[in-house]
């Protein structure tokens, strides 16, 4: 599907972004060449190569939706809004990549018949504990439950469609589950926001694709589906919510043409914007290192805050190790006590932050800035400084 893509940049050797590891595994850590390409035919930015999905999504998966109260609230609103607009009593709902069940549970508590797909069994177990029915596998038409075949009113997904290597197969799966008038609604990090913020840390092994309205429209129309609405979201540093249905459902198409025009003006549909982005990444890397070294030369102590998957790209691309950042504070029990992928910075329980305030904290979860800076307001009051490569 993407054989005419052009490689336009490389981030160098990258480890698995969520593989927070023990010291004993430092020597057998897996690395891959993280090269990025753009396909002009499909207007699609993608990784040229990436680890096998089972290397990333398995019983040791370390991302849990419910670690962010902001995201819990976001998904509650998602469920309410979509229910009002699209669902009737007795509707059937599928979620792809339901993780710990945060979003799907909001639909279940409204009385809908729900089914989740989740290959990472540790997080799937948490969803099951909430009483949700979960197929512990990658989404596929192979697992088409007769109860849901061509009868599903809503298929929803968040931050997972960009993880799925074979998009043709994904769309075939959507086709086998969705009812005639059903809708597929999903939200993913948005190319336009990444280019604008120079948030290159959105690119890591799991994010095989960074979508735009142009790319989603092209991908789906090939299979008789129609993008009929797109809504920008502020989550995860700038995302887009896409609304898809069968073309022959003959419904109204809303803001797509005007948004496509905006993307065309910003050259998001061609390689030119990618080359600008590449230059901007190099400048950002230089500036980040210069600033961090400036802090260090002044004798300031620098720590990291939130061991995000995004931080793996920043640390490995800029080659920031314990010579610059002493540790990273985080809330996730599965990460605490381990070391960051590739650069091996220790991960410490966030509860210790207040007893060891650094002079500067690199906020790796810049997308959760409001939630975190509020929770850690004393840090600023005591003279601490938040830092990031994106504007905070
Ligand atoms: N939707 C949640 C979780 C995002 S993380 C949120 O937005 O917070 C992505 C999740 O999708 C992980 O739990 C991962 O195990 C799962 N996943 C990855 N590939 C998948 C696939 N092909 N089908 C279904 N789930 C998948
Ligand atoms: P992500 O950017 O890969 O989604 O990961 C978010 C990480 O940020 C996760 O490891 C938990 C961490 N985190 C905190 O440590 N404190 C917080 O308040 C929030 C919201 C997240």
């Amino acid at each position: 599907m993407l054989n005419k893509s052009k490689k336009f940049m490389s981030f160098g050797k990258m480890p698995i972004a969520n593989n927070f590891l023990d010291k004993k595994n430092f020597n057998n850590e897996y690395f891959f060449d993280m090269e990025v390409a753009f396909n002009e035919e499909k207007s699609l930015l993608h990784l040229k190569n990436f680890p096998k999905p089972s290397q990333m999504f398995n019983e040791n998966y370390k991302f849990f939706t419910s670690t962010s109260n902001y995201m819990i609230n976001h998904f509650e609103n998602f469920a309410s809004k979509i229910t009002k607009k699209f669902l009737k009593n007795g509707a059937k709902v599928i979620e792809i990549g339901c993780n710990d069940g945060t979003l799907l549970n909001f639909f279940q508590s409204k009385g809908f018949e729900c089914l989740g797909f989740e290959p990472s069994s540790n997080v799937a177990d948490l969803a099951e504990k909430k009483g949700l029915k979960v197929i512990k596998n990658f989404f596929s038409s192979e697992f088409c439950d007769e109860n849901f075949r061509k009868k599903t009113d809503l298929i929803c997904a968040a931050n997972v469609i960009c993880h799925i290597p074979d998009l043709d197969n994904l769309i075939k799966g959507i086709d086998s589950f969705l009812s005639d008038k059903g809708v597929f609604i999903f939200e993913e990090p948005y190319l336009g926001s990444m280019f604008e913020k120079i948030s290159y840390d959105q690119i890591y092994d799991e994010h095989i694709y960074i979508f735009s309205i142009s790319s989603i429209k092209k991908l789906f129309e090939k299979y008789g589906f129609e993008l009929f609405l797109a809504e920008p979201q502020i989550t995860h540093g700038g995302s887009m919510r896409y609304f898809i249905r069968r073309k022959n459902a003959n419904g109204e198409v809303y803001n797509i043409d005007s948004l496509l025009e905006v993307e065309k003006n910003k050259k998001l549909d061609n390689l030119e914007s990618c080359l600008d982005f590449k230059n901007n990444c190099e400048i950002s890397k230089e500036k980040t290192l210069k600033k961090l070294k400036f802090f260090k030369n002044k004798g300031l102590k620098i720590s990291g805050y939130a061991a995000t998957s995004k931080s793996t790209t920043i640390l490995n691309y800029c080659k920031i190790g314990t010579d610059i950042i002493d540790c990273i504070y985080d809330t996730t029990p599965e990460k605490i006590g381990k070391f960051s992928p590739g650069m091996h910075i220790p991960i410490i329980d966030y509860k210790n932050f207040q007893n060891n305030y650094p002079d500067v904290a690199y906020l790796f979860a810049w997308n959760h800035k409001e939630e975190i800076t509020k929770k850690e307001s004393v840090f600023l009051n005591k003279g601490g400084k938040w830092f990031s490569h994106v504007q905070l």
Side-chain angles (χ1 to χ4, degrees):
M1 171 178 98
L2 299 171
N3 45 10
K4 286 196 195 132
S5 299
K6 289 190 190 121
K7 173 189 145 185
F8 68 90
M9 78 177 288
S10 170
F11 284 90
K13 293 262 179 238
M14 281 286 155
I16 305 253
N18 262 310
N19 185 28
F20 292 84
L21 68 176
D22 293 317
K23 231 179 214 165
K24 66 174 193 294
N25 295 323
F26 285 179
N27 288 336
N28 53 23
E29 196 173 2
Y30 175 88
F31 287 87
F32 71 105
D33 274 323
M34 198 163 85
E35 297 181 330
V36 190
F38 190 75
N39 185 286
E40 287 199 308
E41 203 180 308
K42 290 270 183 286
S43 304
L44 185 58
L45 184 143
H46 64 98
L47 294 184
K48 271 204 76 156
N49 32 38
F50 43 85
K52 283 198 209 88
S54 58
Q55 279 175 281
M56 302 182 272
F57 310 115
N58 50 45
E59 66 284 4
N60 291 317
Y61 193 57
K62 293 193 175 59
F63 173 79
F64 302 79
T65 304
S66 57
T67 47
S68 163
N69 288 325
Y70 183 86
M71 289 310 293
I72 297 176
N73 194 28
H74 170 78
F75 285 130
E76 185 168 16
N77 292 336
F78 179 120
S80 299
K81 202 171 157 190
I82 301 305
T83 298
K84 259 193 221 136
K85 218 165 166 173
F86 296 103
L87 301 180
K88 298 202 178 79
N89 282 347
K92 294 180 197 280
V93 177
I94 286 181
E95 186 184 5
I96 304 174
C98 67
N99 196 267
D100 58 14
T102 303
L103 171 60
L104 199 57
N105 200 29
F106 287 123
F107 285 110
Q108 176 139 301
S109 55
K110 292 179 192 298
F112 301 124
E113 190 178 346
C114 294
L115 175 67
F117 279 86
E118 179 46 69
S120 302
S121 58
N122 61 331
V123 292
D125 287 345
L126 298 173
E128 279 185 337
K129 279 202 188 118
K130 292 179 176 142
L132 291 163
K133 186 173 169 194
V134 182
I135 295 183
K136 291 182 179 172
N137 218 318
F138 294 94
F139 175 72
S140 158
S141 56
E142 255 181 72
F143 300 102
C144 198
D145 183 316
E146 282 313 312
N147 217 8
F148 285 83
R149 183 187 296 277
K150 301 271 183 193
K151 289 185 203 136
T152 310
D153 304 283
L154 167 69
I155 303 178
C156 61
N159 309 302
V160 58
I161 301 307
C162 66
H163 298 3
I164 301 182
D166 187 347
L167 293 175
D168 293 308
N169 195 44
L170 161 85
I171 302 173
K172 282 182 197 149
I174 300 292
D175 182 42
S176 63
F177 285 106
L178 207 62
S179 68
D180 288 349
K181 300 274 179 199
V183 283
F184 173 37
I185 302 175
F186 64 103
E187 56 189 49
E188 305 286 312
Y190 178 56
L191 185 72
S193 308
M194 182 177 86
F195 280 1
E196 223 164 278
K197 296 191 168 132
I198 319 168
S199 47
Y200 62 82
D201 47 333
Q202 287 290 5
I203 302 178
Y204 53 91
D205 55 2
E206 296 179 21
H207 288 181
I208 301 170
Y209 304 104
I210 306 285
F211 296 118
S212 60
I213 293 162
S214 324
S215 55
I216 291 296
K217 183 175 189 302
K218 287 180 185 169
L219 286 166
F220 279 85
E221 67 189 6
K222 180 175 158 199
Y223 291 94
F225 286 96
E226 177 172 66
L227 173 64
F228 65 95
L229 177 68
E231 291 179 345
Q233 308 291 316
I234 58 166
T235 47
H236 288 298
S239 299
M240 190 63 74
R241 185 177 291 170
Y242 303 97
F243 296 71
I244 307 264
R245 70 173 164 230
R246 294 183 191 279
K247 193 158 175 47
N248 58 16
N250 292 322
E252 192 173 341
V253 176
Y254 298 94
N255 58 351
I256 302 305
D257 282 346
S258 60
L259 291 175
L260 284 174
E261 197 57 34
V262 173
E263 289 195 347
K264 218 174 170 49
N265 290 336
K266 292 186 176 170
K267 301 188 168 52
L268 292 192
D269 61 345
N270 69 54
L271 196 63
E272 218 176 301
S273 57
C274 298
L275 296 172
D276 286 345
F277 174 68
K278 173 185 189 265
N279 278 337
N280 289 337
C281 289
E282 284 160 9
I283 295 168
S284 167
K285 173 179 175 173
E286 238 173 74
K287 269 193 185 162
T288 301
L289 284 172
K290 201 167 154 193
K291 193 84 195 191
L292 292 176
K293 283 177 186 157
F294 168 78
F295 292 143
K296 270 317 244 196
N297 289 339
K298 277 184 43 177
L300 302 181
K301 178 169 140 156
I302 313 171
S303 302
Y305 198 102
T308 58
S309 15
K310 294 191 291 298
S311 69
T312 298
T313 297
I314 305 166
L315 297 169
N316 288 276
Y317 175 54
C318 299
K319 301 264 174 309
I320 300 168
T322 45
D323 52 331
I324 301 181
I325 289 186
D326 60 347
C327 68
I328 306 173
Y329 293 96
D330 196 275
T331 50
T332 316
E334 289 75 5
K335 294 181 186 174
I336 294 165
K338 300 210 182 268
F339 293 82
S340 74
M343 296 311 291
H344 303 160
I345 300 175
I347 313 300
I348 310 280
D349 191 333
Y350 81 107
K351 289 186 196 118
N352 296 311
F353 185 60
Q354 57 183 354
N355 307 321
N356 293 289
Y357 283 146
D359 302 291
V360 178
Y362 197 140
L363 182 57
F364 291 119
W366 49 267
N367 50 312
H368 295 299
K369 179 188 108 182
E370 269 165 39
E371 187 168 352
I372 293 175
T373 52
K374 198 164 153 200
K375 185 160 80 182
E376 301 288 2
S377 59
V378 180
F379 173 57
L380 264 191
N381 296 340
K382 292 210 164 166
K385 182 180 164 63
W386 292 106
F387 173 81
S388 168
H389 62 294
V390 299
Q391 201 161 4
L392 288 177

